[in-house]
Amino acid sequence: MSGADREVPAASPAPGTRTEIWRVRVDPKACMGTGICAGVAPDRFQVRDGISHPTAAYVPPEDQVVDAAESCPLEAIRVTHRDTGALIAPEE
């Protein structure tokens, strides 16, 4: 089998490339502590002392994180691309 015939698994990033990572932030001044985000993404948000907190500042891309940001009634959650700063959620 020649090198051109071999398949590279799609799940494996090419050497030297980065995998996408998102940054998750909650604005404590805007957060009402409704807990909607924690209900939508319980592994990614916790409400403590009446304010939502992300369980990690940096996460792999996940639909639940976007859904949580989109569900926040005050848009207190911002999800951005770690490397570029591009806004992922909430949609503007």
Side-chain angles (χ1 to χ4, degrees), residues 7-31:
E7 290 185 15
V8 176
S12 300
T17 63
R18 293 178 156 186
T19 57
E20 186 172 350
I21 299 293
W22 292 350
R23 182 175 183 190
V24 181
R25 292 178 284 179
V26 176
D27 180 348
K29 293 179 182 177
C31 181

Side-chain angles (χ1 to χ4, degrees), residues 10-81:
S12 300
T17 63
R18 293 178 156 186
T19 57
E20 186 172 350
I21 299 293
W22 292 350
R23 182 175 183 190
V24 181
R25 292 178 284 179
V26 176
D27 180 348
K29 293 179 182 177
C31 181
M32 291 178 26
T34 64
I36 295 170
C37 58
V40 171
D43 292 338
R44 297 296 179 202
F45 297 92
Q46 297 177 344
V47 177
R48 294 189 312 266
D49 301 323
I51 298 174
S52 178
H53 299 272
T55 58
Y58 299 97
V59 300
E62 294 178 348
D63 289 340
Q64 285 184 334
V65 174
V66 171
D67 292 344
E70 296 290 343
S71 299
C72 180
L74 293 172
E75 296 186 349
I77 301 169
R78 291 188 57 84
V79 182
T80 57
H81 189 281

Side-chain angles (χ1 to χ4, degrees), residues 21 80-88:
I21 299 293
T80 57
H81 189 281
R82 177 192 64 185
D83 298 328
T84 67
L87 181 66
I88 295 164

